[in-house]
């Protein structure tokens, strides 16, 4: 029988289980097996050595590449710096003529409601313009018109010692500010944020005079002046009010606009020379009328030359603090040149009959509190006023009564109309009838008293909306209407919305006299969920076509 040599693995396994030494045969078998493993080990070690060498070579390349990258970045930074200088030299702003930059600065400061504010701790807009660059600083500091208006905030509620320091700082800044305005006319607003003067009896005179003396030293250049105060202690009005009320034409030779907004001290202006200044054309008195202890009324402003004014605003705080119907009527009858009028009315005896002719009036806003809660009233201000060229009308009232129909007939040129705060119970059919007397209307805004009032029971507006695009026999309502804004919740069908939007599109009906919509804003309440997506799709299509349209929807 032929003998078979044991395998190296079997011999190795056997020897590992015992302590005996290997035989010569077993030794030979193991050594033969190890020689093969040694050859493989040498090959693997050679590969490891090659890999390590390759890694070292890669590290050298990486280090070299990183050094190169760093040099490239330094070169890039140098190039960017050089090119930045080139771009700076060739920039559009640098190439703008100096007079154009001046006009840009003036436009920044002179935007609507943009009287620059000066108060402790802030950087006013004119100073920000002066910080853009050295060149811009020169232009800003040598452009008088950007320094010709200031709204300075006065706060007596600071610590007395701190207040003295702040007044000194503000006085210095105000002086430099107005000096940069050169000799141009000034707009000066003073906003008094003080609620109590009791803590400042010992320091307020000296401290406030530091600031007020600086402001009043420029009064001969005031063209527009406004004082705004939230102080409410009638027994001790703000100390600046007597100073304002004592100013005369010699102090204010350029004054054209005067605004007083305060809750106390109004009685000091009953015989004020300030309101008698012959150059005064625009007057705003927004204060507490018929209030204890003054019982001040508009007719007691004996020095006002109402006939010379082109703009009058008479308002109050709460409804019970506004001027009465009779007082406003007496005031309006004395005017001759009004172009703008904003009035608030409280109930009166309504015995001031007779027309109020305002032949030059273009803008009228009426905040009407004369409605007593009944369905009718004896007399409306609109029964008396004649405004043949009126273009803009805003009515803030709970009752839109029949007097408006006759008023609209006498004012056929109204192009912008806003009904605000009208009661939700007012029928849209009645409003449609009123609008039928506004053939020139181009913009309409309807703002019911409260959006929440219409959430549960929104008005059905199908017939109302169709009246603007559909001839029902009496003609389309407001055919020139192009802007429609309804902030309350109303309900209407998707078909009505589609007709409302498309009937006035250019090209839909070339023979139509309807002008196209430019802007539409509507709240569509209580919409079936199935129609919400369809409404949004329709609106999206119109917006994609260039329509300025917004229709807000809510599900049931």
């Amino acid at each position: 029988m032929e003998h078979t040599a044991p395998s190296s693995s079997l011999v190795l396994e056997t020897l590992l289980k015992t302590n005996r030494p290997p035989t010569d045969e077993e030794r030979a078998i193991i050594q033969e097996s190890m020689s093969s493993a040694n050859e493989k080990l040498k090959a693997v070690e050679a590969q490891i050595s090659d890999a390590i060498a390759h890694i070292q070579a890669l590290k050298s390349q990486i280090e070299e590449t990183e050094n190169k990258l760093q040099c490239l970045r330094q070169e890039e930074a140098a190039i960017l710096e050089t090119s930045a200088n080139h771009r700076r030299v060739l920039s559009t702003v640098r190439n703008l003529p100096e007079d154009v930059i001046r006009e840009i600065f003036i436009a920044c400061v002179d935007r609507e409601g943009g009287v620059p504010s000066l108060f402790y701790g802030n950087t006013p807009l004119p100073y920000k313009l002066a910080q853009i660059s050295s060149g811009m600083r020169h232009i800003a500091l040598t452009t008088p018109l950007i320094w010709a208006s200031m709204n300075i905030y006065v706060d007596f509620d600071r610590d007395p010692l701190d207040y003295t320091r702040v007044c000194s700082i503000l006085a210095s800044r105000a002086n430099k500010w107005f000096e940069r305005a050169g000799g141009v006319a000034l707009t000066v607003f003073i906003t008094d944020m003080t609620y109590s003067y009791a803590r400042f009896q010992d320091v307020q005179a000296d401290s406030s005079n530091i600031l007020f003396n600086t402001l009043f030293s420029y009064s001969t250049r005031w063209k527009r002046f406004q004082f705004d105060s939230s102080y409410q202690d009638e027994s001790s009005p703000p100390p600046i009010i007597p100073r304002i009320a004592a100013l005369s034409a010699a102090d204010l030779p350029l004054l054209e606009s005067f605004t007083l907004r305060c809750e106390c001290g109004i009685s000091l202006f009953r015989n004020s020379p300030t309101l008698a200044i012959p150059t005064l054309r625009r007057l705003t008195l927004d204060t507490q009328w018929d209030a204890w202890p003054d019982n001040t009324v508009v007719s007691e402003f004996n020095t006002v030359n109402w006939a010379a004014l082109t703009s009058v605003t008479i308002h109050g705080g709460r409804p019970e603090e506004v001027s009465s119907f009779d007082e406003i009527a007496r005031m309006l009858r004395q005017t001759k040149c009004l172009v703008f009028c904003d009035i608030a009315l409280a109930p009166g005896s309504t015995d001031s009959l007779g027309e109020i002719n305002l032949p030059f009036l273009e803008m009228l806003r009426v905040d009407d509190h004369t409605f007593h809660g009944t369905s009718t009233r004896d007399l409306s201000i609109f029964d008396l006023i004649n405004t043949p060229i009126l273009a803009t009308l805003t009515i803030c009232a709970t009752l839109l009564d029949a007097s408006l129909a006759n008023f609209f007939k006498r004012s056929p040129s109204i192009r912008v109309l806003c009904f605000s705060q009208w009661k939700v119970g007012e029928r849209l059919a009645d409003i449609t009838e009123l609008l039928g007397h506004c053939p020139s209307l181009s913009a309409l805004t309807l703002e019911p008293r409260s959006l929440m009032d219409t959430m549960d029971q929104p008005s059905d507006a199908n017939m109302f909306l169709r009246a603007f695009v559909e001839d029902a026999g009496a003609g389309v309502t407001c055919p020139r209407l192009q802007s429609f804004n309804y902030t309350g919740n109303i309900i209407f069908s998707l078909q009505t919305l589609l007709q409302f939007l498309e009937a006035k599109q250019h090209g839909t009906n070339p023979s139509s006299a309807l002008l196209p919509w430019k802007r539409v804003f509507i709240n569509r309440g209580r919409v079936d969920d199935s129609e919400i997506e369809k409404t949004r799709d329709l609106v999206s299509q119109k917006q994609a076509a260039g329509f300025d349209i917004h229709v807000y929807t809510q599900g049931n």
Side-chain angles (χ1 to χ4, degrees):
M1 183 175 180
E2 186 178 353
H3 178 72
T4 302
S7 65
S8 61
S9 59
L10 180 62
V11 170
L12 183 62
E13 182 180 354
T14 300
L15 290 172
L16 289 174
K17 292 180 179 179
T18 66
N19 291 324
R20 70 176 179 80
T23 64
D24 293 339
E25 182 182 5
E26 291 173 336
R27 187 182 299 277
I29 292 174
I30 292 174
Q31 288 177 345
E32 182 180 358
S33 175
M34 287 179 62
S35 63
S36 175
N38 288 336
E39 291 295 328
K40 292 180 180 180
L41 178 61
K42 289 179 180 179
V44 171
E45 287 177 342
Q47 292 178 359
I48 291 174
S49 178
D50 291 343
I52 292 173
H54 184 60
I55 289 173
Q56 292 298 329
L58 290 176
K59 286 182 177 180
S60 298
Q61 292 180 17
I62 291 173
E63 184 177 358
E64 182 181 352
T65 303
E66 286 179 343
N67 292 335
K68 185 176 181 180
L69 177 61
Q70 184 177 1
C71 293
L72 289 172
R73 283 176 173 166
Q74 291 174 351
E75 185 177 357
E76 178 191 36
I79 294 172
L80 286 175
E81 183 178 357
T82 303
S83 62
N85 291 333
H86 286 82
R87 286 194 300 270
R88 192 176 299 116
V89 170
L90 298 175
S91 68
T92 303
V93 173
R94 181 181 287 269
N95 289 312
L96 285 175
E98 186 174 303
D99 58 334
V100 174
I101 297 178
R102 291 186 189 277
E103 291 299 323
I104 293 173
F105 282 0
I106 293 170
C108 289
V109 174
D110 197 33
R111 69 192 186 276
E112 184 178 356
V115 177
S117 298
L118 174 61
F119 57 90
Y120 185 72
N122 84 313
T123 302
L125 180 57
Y127 286 95
K128 292 180 180 178
L129 296 175
Q131 293 174 351
I132 298 175
S133 67
S134 58
M136 295 296 183
R137 176 176 176 82
H138 170 74
I139 295 175
L141 296 181
T142 57
T143 304
L145 286 179
I146 72 172
W147 305 95
S149 57
M150 177 200 300
N151 185 2
I152 187 162
Y153 284 78
V154 182
D155 186 359
F156 279 93
D157 290 328
R158 292 178 174 271
D159 179 84
L161 296 179
D162 184 50
Y163 174 73
T164 301
R165 181 178 62 86
V166 168
C167 278
S168 298
I169 293 174
L170 292 179
S172 176
R173 291 180 181 177
N175 183 64
K176 292 179 181 178
W177 186 314
F178 285 146
E179 284 302 309
R180 291 179 181 134
V184 301
L186 302 177
T187 293
V188 179
F189 288 4
I190 300 177
T191 301
D192 186 355
M193 305 172 67
T194 306
Y195 288 91
S196 172
Y197 288 91
R199 296 189 297 127
F200 299 95
Q201 293 178 357
D202 296 332
V203 299
Q204 73 176 27
D206 293 337
S207 301
S208 61
N209 282 338
I210 295 173
L211 177 58
F212 294 150
N213 286 345
T214 298
L215 298 177
F216 280 74
S217 68
Y218 293 92
S219 66
T220 55
R221 289 165 50 195
W222 292 0
K223 184 177 181 179
R224 183 182 173 198
F225 177 78
Q226 175 177 307
F227 178 71
D228 226 321
S229 176
S230 55
Y231 185 66
Q232 300 178 353
D233 186 358
E234 186 66 39
S235 62
S236 177
I240 190 177
I241 287 187
R243 293 190 64 173
I244 298 173
L247 294 172
S248 65
D251 304 306
L252 302 167
L254 304 180
L255 189 68
E256 292 184 3
S257 176
F258 181 84
T259 297
L260 182 65
R261 293 193 174 102
C262 61
E263 296 193 31
C264 63
I266 187 65
S267 61
L268 296 174
F269 289 87
R270 285 173 175 164
N271 297 295
S272 168
T274 306
L275 302 184
I277 293 174
T279 56
L280 187 63
R281 294 295 179 266
R282 295 184 293 275
L283 176 62
T284 296
L285 299 175
D286 191 350
T287 185
Q288 183 173 330
W289 302 96
D290 295 322
W292 183 90
D294 278 345
N295 293 320
T296 306
V297 294
V298 175
S299 61
E300 293 180 354
F301 282 77
N302 303 316
T303 60
V304 178
N305 183 7
W306 299 104
L309 299 180
T310 60
S311 174
V312 169
T313 298
I314 305 294
H315 264 264
R318 297 178 292 273
E320 63 271 18
E321 297 171 351
V322 302
S323 298
S324 69
F325 176 102
D326 307 88
E327 288 296 322
I328 293 295
R330 292 191 190 100
M331 179 272 292
L332 290 178
R333 286 195 184 93
Q334 298 178 61
T335 63
K336 303 295 182 184
C337 309
L338 279 191
V339 176
F340 174 89
C341 182
D342 185 353
I343 51 177
L345 305 170
S349 61
T350 66
D351 59 357
S352 299
L353 298 178
E355 291 186 346
I356 301 174
N357 292 310
L358 305 173
F360 304 108
L361 192 67
E362 297 178 4
M363 299 181 66
L364 174 63
R365 185 185 186 279
V366 178
D367 192 352
D368 191 352
H369 300 282
T370 61
F371 178 56
H372 291 276
T374 59
S375 59
T376 61
R377 54 185 167 187
D378 296 332
L379 191 66
S380 165
I381 194 71
F382 296 103
D383 289 316
L384 308 179
I385 295 180
N386 290 317
T387 56
I389 66 169
L390 186 67
T392 301
L393 173 64
T394 297
I395 302 174
C396 181
T398 58
L399 178 66
L400 305 176
D401 59 22
S403 64
L404 284 174
N406 292 327
F407 176 77
F408 288 150
K409 292 177 183 178
R410 300 193 302 272
S411 306
S413 301
I414 296 176
R415 296 190 298 275
V416 180
L417 176 62
C418 175
F419 288 148
S420 177
Q421 299 298 311
W422 47 281
K423 64 177 182 177
V424 176
E426 196 83 49
R427 294 190 305 162
L428 291 177
D430 295 337
I431 295 179
T432 304
E433 184 177 350
L434 290 175
L435 295 177
H437 302 293
C438 301
S440 302
L441 198 65
S442 62
L444 173 64
T445 298
L446 298 174
E447 300 175 341
R449 184 187 307 173
S450 171
L451 181 62
M452 296 302 296
D453 290 346
T454 60
M455 294 290 278
D456 297 329
Q457 295 182 334
S459 302
D460 187 334
N462 282 287
M463 293 183 63
F464 175 67
L465 295 180
R466 287 177 179 171
F468 295 101
V469 296
E470 187 178 86
D471 191 340
V476 174
T477 299
C478 305
R480 305 182 65 82
L481 191 65
Q482 293 189 284
S483 176
F484 181 86
N485 187 343
Y486 193 108
T487 60
N489 276 304
I490 50 179
I491 55 174
F492 49 87
S493 68
L494 185 60
Q495 180 60 34
T496 294
L497 178 62
L498 182 63
Q499 181 181 355
F500 181 76
L501 297 179
E502 293 189 346
K504 296 183 65 162
Q505 280 186 260
H506 274 317
T508 303
N509 185 0
S511 63
S512 174
L514 302 182
L515 293 183
W517 292 118
K518 289 185 177 179
R519 186 178 190 276
V520 173
F521 181 104
I522 310 176
N523 281 304
R524 187 183 181 207
R526 296 183 61 181
V527 184
D528 291 337
D529 293 342
S530 60
E531 285 201 357
I532 289 181
E533 199 61 37
K534 294 179 181 178
T535 300
R536 292 174 179 170
D537 289 343
L538 174 60
V539 171
S540 297
Q541 292 173 9
K542 299 301 179 184
Q543 290 175 338
F547 242 123
D548 184 8
I549 174 174
H550 306 272
V551 179
Y552 294 93
T553 58
Q554 66 177 51
N556 287 324

